[in-house]
Amino acid sequence: MLFPTNRHLWPIFNSVIAWLLVLLMTLAVTGLIMPILAQEKPTAPIILEGRTLFYVSESGQYTAERRANDANNQLQKILAQNQPPITVNLDTTKDVPVIQIQGAYLISVTSNDVPTGRTLQEQAILWKNILEISIRKAEYERTPQYLIKSTIIAIVVLFITFIISWKLGVFWQRFLKPSEKKDGATSPSLTPPSTQPLTAIPQTTSSKINLGFLILLIVIRGIIWICSLFYISHLFPQTREWSQDVIEILKVSLITDIFPLGNDRYSVLDFFILAGLLVGLVLLTQTVSRILKSKLLSATGLNRGVQDTTALIVNYTLIFLGTIVVLQVWGLDLSSLTVFASVLGVGIGLGLQGIAKEFVSGLVLIFERPIQIGDFVEVSGLMGTVERIGVRSTEIRTLDQVSVILPNSRFLESEVINWSHYSPISRLKIPVGVAYGSDLENVKQVLIETAKSHREVLSMPSPQVFFIEFGDSSLNFSLLVWISKPYKQFQIKSDLYFQLDTKFREEGIEIPFPQQDLHIRASELPQNISPDLIESLAKLSDSLATWLDKNSQNSNPQDQVKKIDD
């Protein structure tokens, strides 16, 4: 096999998600820390057609923002005049070096602009060289040759991006997308997922893996297109300025504290960091519970229900404790949520009674364990296998392979038949009726032999036959058999009925159907009949015959039948 299956790709997918979360948190923390560091010494950028050249600091009564805006406006004004060559000069005759462009003042180099270990003269020369190089580049980017070259590069980049995106879609369709059954494929087995081999991947896990890969594909495609458009926007001066403006707007929107919570205010970036931490916490707790279940609990020899319950409790406990720790690390004072907690408690007592009821019922089911994952149950007319027990609802997979979500309280308030409680062995009652006059010993022998020949019927306890009653039309028997797979009871009954019908035909045993016979004894009829009665009946018979002959000549058979019916 050239490519790994979903099972082998699941660890890779977890690793990719983990690295993406780490990268997201790193970028978020970097974006959160950098503005804070920048606030220690306020600076503003000198920008030429979307390119940041250097940063200036505040000087006396002039803020860094004002100095930068004045210099940027001067640069844009001179470039807009389009009178090359544009000269950059350095005036050192004054107290501080002054950079001039086309003989006009641009900016002064002050001590606040100079980093440690560098003189004013060195800093001024450095800025002058940067300006000259940037202006030469800006002049070149306004030429037709550059515009044609950049347009070709943009088309090539878009084409390469489209090919990569298309190839990723082909890879998803061919190797990662879940295969669909074609027309004419065999129907899935009625065997519940709990009885499948342990090496098989559960359907829910496979669906999550495929959904995860689909989301990852969308994210990768989006990143590729964003990077391509960002690169193309930097090829042209106008679009470069627009992209820089968009980036600045996003930076300000992300790092500005606009959401009050408690005594503090938080930015959009803070909530992104919190969301990333919570997602990482959920993935971590799921991994820990999965390892606990597959490595530790499986070695203890406990049944599947106990293992799943223990892993579920550990998962929820870690999520609860981890959420508290994450909120504290994030900087939220939990004491500020006292009022919110009290309001939430009142809401649970009033508006969320149903949810609280299901939550408590779920805890009872988890700890008391009247039903467990893998049990075959019957509740409210539904029969199926318990697939999941949550704190609010329980999932049952019916024999039709349909998932039914039932509230947990349903299992505590109504009668539940658990065919697998403590032991999956259960007894089936199969009623059978034979005709009167049948050989009862032969009937009993056929019933027992047929039951023993079925592969799903247990030999111990052995099948039994009971003579129930003398029915109205049949002799009624009850065949009792023991099975170890309750979810196959309908199939087993059907197989036994088919086999019994064949055996009864071979043995000449009749299966009756409801019927009624009327017996009239001759001794109860009158012995002497009056001559007058005989004569009247004869006349009536002759009259009826004459009438029938007359009507048969004047009407068709359908009308005749209608008249007779009337």
Side-chain angles (χ1 to χ4, degrees), residues 498-511:
F498 275 115
Q499 295 178 14
L500 287 175
D501 181 72
T502 303
K503 290 288 185 180
F504 282 172
R505 293 178 186 275
E506 293 176 355
E507 298 294 332
I509 300 174
E510 181 183 355
I511 300 176

Side-chain angles (χ1 to χ4, degrees), residues 251-262:
K251 290 169 74 173
V252 172
S253 302
L254 289 175
I255 65 177
T256 303
D257 298 333
I258 56 177
F259 298 103
L261 187 60

Side-chain angles (χ1 to χ4, degrees), residues 194-241:
S194 60
T195 62
Q196 299 292 337
L198 296 177
T199 56
I201 301 177
Q203 184 66 26
T204 54
T205 303
S206 178
S207 300
K208 290 180 180 179
I209 294 174
N210 291 318
L211 178 61
F213 279 115
L214 178 59
I215 295 175
L216 183 61
L217 173 65
I218 296 174
V219 171
I220 293 176
R221 276 181 165 179
I223 292 175
I224 292 175
W225 278 103
I226 290 174
C227 293
S228 299
L229 295 176
F230 184 77
Y231 175 78
I232 293 173
S233 68
H234 274 61
L235 292 176
F236 305 94
Q238 296 80 3
T239 56
R240 189 186 305 124
E241 293 179 3

Side-chain angles (χ1 to χ4, degrees), residues 31-52:
L32 185 64
I33 294 177
M34 291 303 294
I36 296 176
L37 295 179
Q39 290 176 2
E40 297 178 357
K41 188 178 182 180
T43 59
I46 300 297
I47 300 174
L48 180 61
E49 292 192 340
R51 287 195 181 96
T52 300

Side-chain angles (χ1 to χ4, degrees), residues 76-93:
Q76 292 295 333
K77 180 179 178 181
I78 293 176
L79 284 176
Q81 294 176 357
N82 195 14
Q83 298 177 355
I86 299 174
T87 59
V88 181
N89 301 319
L90 181 61
D91 185 5
T92 58
T93 60

Side-chain angles (χ1 to χ4, degrees), residues 28 239 280 284 468 546 561:
T239 56
L284 179 62
I468 302 302
T546 303
V561 173

